[in-house]
Amino acid sequence: MNFSSLNTSMPAGGNQRDTFTTALTKNVIVTALCICINYINGTLVHTFRKHQIFTSNPRYILFIHLVLNDMMQLILSTLLHIISYTLYTINVSFCIVLLIITILATLNTPFNLAGMAVECYIAVCIPLRHAHICTVKKTYILIGLIWVVSSFSILPDLFILLATEPPQFFLSRQFCARDFVFRSTYSLQKRDASHIVCLAFVWLILFYTYFRILFAARGATLDIKKARNTILLHGLQLLLCMLTYVRPMFEQGLLYILPSQHLAVRFACYVIVQILPRFLSPIVYGLRDQMFRKYVKRYLLCKVSIRNHPETTSNTRRTLKLQ
């Protein structure tokens, strides 16, 4: 993941910066979006934890893992965005910790989508073996493997950094972006190669599961149609994830159209690439899935009814009078 887009005030060449009002507006927008999206995702996580029907279902376990990854990635990328305006440079060692966690959470997303697609394929095409193959224990093992595979992509960069940079570098202050910290030529080449292999592998799984489900859809049952549409949404999520890797080309295209608006273009790219994809996960299951929607709605309506219940209001008033 290329985090050089995080500092939208850092132009391609020169030291031009946003005005205070513009910088404040951009940070307020980013923070507000982060809070709103994470509030929705937090509600989904709370609903998941409160009901055993979800905690014992591999499909929802993988979904919540995806949501937690989105929350982690959104919080850290927003933090880095704010740091780029307020502090501009931070301690390299602290920056490395932030970048590694954020990159891991970002790399986990495609593999998680592939796991969810395979689970959906098994449920539709091999329903009699689904309960045996897709167990809670195996699901948590799969999540552990996802983190291990993602670690294999970033840990070599860390080892190269430790071997090539002097100790003073880790005590210095740098602009916190991947290209500014992991700046070895080998790291850049390895990153591009690993991204290509990762995305090709995940796309292969999505295409395979989609067409197998498509052929199984000749019966045209509602569940099979829903599974097919879910795989399509996973593909859309993966396309949004790919924006991270094609961001430089996407940004250059916009700069070609709007050459004098590079600060606005960089900010727009950051919102489109880093924030908006995090909003899709709640829609896929939080709104589309009838089971999850029913429990989320029950939880939200329960809070509203308790707050607005006449007895609760009168009891609150009595307590206030006694105090």
Side-chain angles (χ1 to χ4, degrees):
M1 180 176 183
N2 188 351
F3 282 97
S4 59
S5 62
L6 287 175
N7 185 8
T8 58
S9 65
M10 188 172 185
N15 295 317
Q16 184 181 352
R17 303 292 297 274
D18 281 320
T19 63
F20 174 79
T21 304
T22 303
L24 179 63
T25 302
K26 288 180 178 179
N27 280 282
V28 168
I29 292 173
V30 168
T31 304
L33 288 172
C34 175
I35 292 173
C36 291
I37 295 174
N38 276 342
Y39 174 78
I40 297 172
N41 285 335
T43 303
L44 297 179
V45 174
H46 179 76
T47 303
F48 170 83
R49 291 179 60 252
K50 289 294 182 180
H51 301 283
Q52 189 178 2
I53 191 174
F54 300 130
T55 56
S56 59
N57 190 320
R59 180 174 303 173
Y60 293 110
I61 294 173
L62 287 172
F63 165 63
I64 289 300
H65 178 246
L66 182 66
V67 170
L68 290 172
N69 266 284
D70 285 347
M71 294 177 69
M72 188 187 311
Q73 196 274 343
L74 187 56
I75 290 172
L76 291 175
S77 65
T78 302
L79 175 62
L80 289 172
H81 182 273
I82 295 173
I83 287 174
S84 71
Y85 278 95
T86 55
L87 301 177
Y88 196 69
T89 60
I90 61 174
N91 178 267
V92 170
S93 299
F94 179 60
C95 174
I96 290 173
V97 174
L98 293 179
L99 285 178
I100 288 178
I101 298 174
T102 312
I103 293 169
L104 281 175
T106 304
L107 292 173
N108 285 343
T109 299
F111 294 120
N112 202 104
L113 291 174
M116 295 172 74
V118 171
E119 188 278 332
C120 191
Y121 157 74
I122 295 173
V124 172
C125 299
I126 323 176
L128 297 180
R129 300 184 60 189
H130 180 267
H132 175 69
I133 297 175
C134 300
T135 63
V136 172
K137 181 180 179 179
K138 291 179 180 179
T139 303
Y140 283 114
I141 292 175
L142 175 62
I143 290 174
L145 289 175
I146 289 173
W147 280 90
V148 170
V149 172
S150 297
S151 299
F152 285 155
S153 178
I154 186 60
L155 286 181
D157 293 337
L158 179 61
F159 296 147
I160 293 171
L161 186 67
L162 293 172
T164 57
E165 296 291 347
Q168 293 80 4
F169 175 75
F170 300 95
L171 301 176
S172 64
R173 296 176 67 88
Q174 286 279 347
F175 174 71
C176 193
R178 183 171 183 173
D179 290 347
F180 284 77
V181 177
F182 301 101
R183 51 193 182 181
S184 168
T185 304
Y186 175 78
S187 294
L188 296 176
Q189 295 174 347
K190 193 261 333 162
R191 181 192 66 192
D192 294 337
S194 63
H195 287 169
I196 293 172
V197 172
C198 164
L199 292 175
F201 173 73
V202 175
W203 274 117
L204 182 64
I205 291 178
L206 289 182
F207 276 122
Y208 177 79
T209 53
Y210 176 77
F211 284 109
R212 287 300 300 267
I213 292 174
L214 183 64
F215 293 143
R218 293 174 179 175
T221 64
L222 184 61
D223 288 339
I224 293 179
K225 286 183 177 179
K226 184 178 178 181
R228 185 183 60 193
N229 293 335
T230 300
I231 298 295
L232 285 176
L233 283 172
H234 290 337
L236 176 59
Q237 286 178 286
L238 187 59
L239 282 174
L240 291 174
C241 291
M242 288 177 63
L243 288 177
T244 300
Y245 311 122
V246 300
R247 183 203 62 81
M249 291 181 290
F250 178 60
E251 186 176 299
Q252 288 300 319
L254 291 179
L255 287 174
Y256 180 78
I257 301 172
L258 303 168
S260 61
Q261 301 293 325
H262 58 270
L263 295 179
V265 166
R266 285 170 181 258
F267 177 73
C269 288
Y270 169 74
V271 173
I272 293 171
V273 172
Q274 299 293 343
I275 296 180
L276 292 186
R278 314 279 87 79
F279 186 66
L280 189 60
S281 295
I283 296 177
V284 173
Y285 275 92
L287 298 180
R288 283 187 69 251
D289 189 86
Q290 293 182 357
M291 180 73 69
F292 220 103
R293 184 171 67 244
K294 180 178 70 173
Y295 281 92
V296 170
K297 186 185 299 184
R298 182 187 302 177
Y299 169 72
L300 291 176
L301 290 177
C302 178
K303 286 184 68 176
V304 173
S305 61
I306 289 175
R307 289 176 180 175
N308 297 331
H309 198 280
E311 292 183 4
T312 305
T313 305
S314 61
N315 289 336
T316 303
R317 290 175 180 173
R318 289 173 186 172
T319 303
L320 291 173
K321 288 180 179 179
L322 290 175
Q323 290 178 347

